[in-house]
Amino acid sequence: MPTQEIDVSVAVTVEEAVARLVERACEPAEESVRLPDAAGRYLARELYSPFPMPPFRRAAMDGYAVRAGETAAASADRPLRLAVESELRAGASVGRPYSRAGDGNRANRGNRENRESHEAPAAASAVRVFTGSPVPAEYDSIIIQEMVRRPGGSGEDGSGSGGIAWIDRPAVRGLHIAEAGEDVPEGARLLARGTRIGAKEIALLASFGLSLVPVRARPTVAVLPIGDELALPGEPLPPSHIYEANGYMVEASLSLLGADVRRMPPVPDEPEAIRRRLEEAWERADLIVTTGGASVGDYDYVQAAAESAGARPLFTKVRMRPGTPTSAFARGSRTLIALSGNPSACYSGLELLARPFVLAAAGSAGWATEWLPGALSEAVGKPCPYPRYIRSFAWMEEDGWRIRPLAKDKSGNIGAFAQANAIAEIPAGGQGARAGQPVRWFRLA
Ligand SMILES: Nc1nc2c(c(=O)[nH]1)N[C@H]1C(S)=C(S)[C@@H](COP(=O)(O)OP(=O)(O)OC[C@H]3O[C@@H](n4cnc5c(N)ncnc54)[C@H](O)[C@@H]3O)O[C@H]1N2
Ligand code: MOO
């Protein structure tokens, strides 16, 4: 049903409110940013590996590359001699095939003397390698250096390469060798479109040499706190005033989601002043988030101001508590979400409604709230006609998540905020909820 035909005076469910908002989140433009600047952004396209990873066959440990077959006879009673042909440091190139023991074409200068000074021919040839060194194709195993005895130190000739070494057990084929492409084959999908780029994604892109990343443009958000009683932190607090907290909360939350947020100074509870500030904010922001002035009091003007600024309501009430008087408006491609002034009501609206919308508008594939199953550790006394979204502490027990609703859960309280790591949904109606009752909840960032 098109939103125009919906009776917006009816309180909508959280799901419906989210659906009405998210359908307005049109696909943001694609832009290309430098790799370090991609952190916190959302990928605009699927990315595929341009080459295999690792890009070459390499050693996963410091030691000696050998042919396992040549070492089968090694034992503690009859240690086997290795002729260390050469050394390959990380970054060294394996330009041409490495010579086998006895073929007269050794890369290492010190070998000949060393070998000649020993009576018995070497039973197996080896190349000294280090973690990350290339491993020539003809070697199929690495013996870690702790398992190798080298009389006279790392090399009998003192150079760290060449010379004789002894092992007293056979090498295991394939051990400690990372084959080219074993981690990521060429052409494999590296990252899906809509992925949030964090530290591990940055590392992945860097490993494939990407210096520019196709990401979605950041949605622009203006945050407008409304209220005569609001003072700014850092200023003196006049009588009967409180410090503006919601605007900072919204700014912090939406910035962390990747939006380009500008928090405005508080506007007084005056319809014309609010309308002017909305107009101003809409000039440069895709989304305005207001807090306060959302309810039915004589000085709650946000809805009237939004409509006088030419916006049409998407919904004017939500079936949730706290945060029932949360509304949203549309003006062309611009959106307004009007959150309650009470900090915990503001927070519920921010987490349940503004967050999915901003994530969708930022190009995230994972905008939907991730509900998890849990069980209440104690009863919740208050019945409520709407679902209650209560700040809680969640922890894992053997049989699943336990949820403890935090005390002092009044909508105007802020004291227990920092202890919450979850919001739990207490279903509407009845007697509240009993201890042990299954509930769904989501994790707070
Ligand atoms: N007669 C009725 N009164 C109220 C109803 C109702 O249905 N009938 N709804 C209540 C509910 S539920 C809520 S929630 C609040 C919502 O109020 P508003 O969104 O209009 O917010 P304000 O009245 O402006 O402020 C409420 C409270 O929050 C403080 N506040 C406001 N802005 C900030 C800020 N930026 N930072 C920190 N604190 C803020 C403000 O000082 C008030 O104490 O209405 C109920 N009333
Ligand atoms: O719903 Mo109000 O948002 O209880 O505090």
Side-chain angles (χ1 to χ4, degrees):
M1 188 164 52
T3 42
Q4 284 84 346
E5 293 170 26
I6 290 170
D7 178 358
V8 290
S9 65
V10 175
V12 296
T13 59
V14 166
E15 284 74 16
E16 178 61 25
V18 169
R20 288 187 197 179
L21 285 167
V22 166
E23 74 175 6
R24 298 182 46 72
C26 37
E27 185 157 273
E30 181 178 326
E31 61 189 31
S32 193
V33 296
R34 287 175 45 245
L35 179 62
D37 299 330
R41 305 290 294 270
Y42 300 87
L43 205 56
R45 278 183 272 145
E46 314 247 301
L47 291 182
Y48 296 87
S49 57
F51 52 78
M53 186 63 71
F56 57 92
R57 192 163 186 263
R58 71 184 177 198
M61 297 290 249
D62 301 315
Y64 297 82
V66 296
R67 295 178 189 85
E70 291 180 356
T71 66
S75 70
D77 294 340
R78 302 203 53 187
L80 183 89
R81 265 161 48 108
L82 298 179
V84 183
E85 298 286 307
S86 61
E87 175 184 276
L88 280 172
R89 295 167 60 156
S93 108
V94 184
R96 58 196 166 85
Y98 277 75
S99 54
R100 300 197 55 161
D103 70 2
N105 186 27
R106 291 189 182 82
N108 193 289
R109 293 176 308 280
N111 273 1
R112 196 174 302 274
E113 292 75 34
N114 284 330
R115 214 177 35 263
E116 282 165 357
S117 68
H118 289 265
E119 304 273 293
S125 73
V127 173
R128 177 74 166 122
V129 292
F130 303 93
T131 308
S133 297
V135 177
E138 61 266 35
Y139 293 97
D140 61 6
S141 179
I142 287 173
I143 306 174
I144 61 171
Q145 65 189 50
E146 293 89 328
M147 306 280 192
V148 174
R149 209 161 22 87
R150 297 206 71 176
S154 63
E156 283 182 343
D157 59 358
S159 70
S161 66
I164 300 301
W166 297 88
I167 52 171
D168 60 8
R169 71 190 74 176
V172 179
R173 192 181 303 278
L175 197 64
H176 305 316
I177 291 184
E179 297 294 343
E182 72 165 38
D183 182 5
V184 185
E186 181 172 345
R189 192 174 78 166
L190 288 180
L191 292 170
R193 167 194 159 99
T195 301
R196 181 174 196 274
I197 300 170
K200 53 189 166 47
E201 288 76 18
I202 292 271
L204 184 65
L205 297 175
S207 339
F208 284 96
L210 270 119
S211 60
L212 289 173
V213 188
V215 295
R216 293 285 167 204
R218 300 166 74 190
T220 48
V221 180
V223 181
L224 180 60
I226 301 172
D228 290 338
E229 74 282 30
L230 302 176
L232 286 177
E235 293 175 353
L237 191 64
S240 308
H241 279 57
I242 56 161
Y243 281 121
E244 201 283 280
N246 295 344
Y248 289 91
M249 170 165 74
V250 174
E251 178 187 29
S253 164
L254 301 186
S255 302
L256 287 172
L257 298 183
D260 178 2
V261 185
R262 185 161 167 271
R263 182 178 39 77
M264 303 169 87
V267 60
D269 292 303
E270 289 162 20
E272 189 44 31
I274 299 171
R275 189 191 62 75
R276 273 203 311 275
R277 298 294 283 283
L278 292 181
E279 297 275 12
E280 216 180 284
W282 257 320
E283 289 295 310
R284 43 173 192 257
D286 304 322
L287 168 69
I288 305 178
V289 180
T290 61
T291 90
S295 183
V296 298
D298 290 355
Y299 303 100
D300 291 336
Y301 290 123
V302 72
Q303 296 197 15
E307 292 190 53
S308 75
R312 83 182 152 82
L314 296 169
F315 53 85
T316 56
K317 257 192 208 168
V318 184
R319 295 177 61 81
M320 65 175 188
R321 188 149 295 163
T324 316
T326 302
S327 54
F329 297 81
R331 191 173 88 159
S333 64
R334 313 293 210 205
T335 304
L336 164 66
I337 301 178
L339 302 175
S340 302
N342 273 321
S344 79
C346 178
Y347 190 53
S348 302
L350 174 64
E351 289 291 326
L352 285 158
L353 309 176
R355 178 187 162 89
F357 175 69
V358 167
L359 281 174
S364 167
W367 54 263
T369 302
E370 280 178 40
W371 293 100
L372 297 164
L376 291 173
S377 66
E378 52 203 75
V380 176
K382 283 189 203 164
C384 177
Y386 296 149
R388 291 173 62 83
Y389 295 92
I390 46 178
R391 292 180 307 248
S392 306
F393 184 77
W395 76 98
M396 189 53 134
E397 294 266 317
E398 260 173 30
D399 58 347
W401 291 96
R402 285 286 180 288
I403 312 294
R404 178 167 54 81
L406 296 178
K408 298 202 180 178
D409 67 341
K410 276 190 196 162
S411 184
N413 285 351
I414 201 163
F417 248 52
Q419 291 157 35
N421 65 358
I423 286 186
E425 182 188 68
I426 310 297
Q431 305 300 312
R434 61 186 161 73
Q437 182 170 322
V439 289
R440 60 176 195 164
W441 66 281
F442 65 92
R443 204 185 299 274
L444 297 175

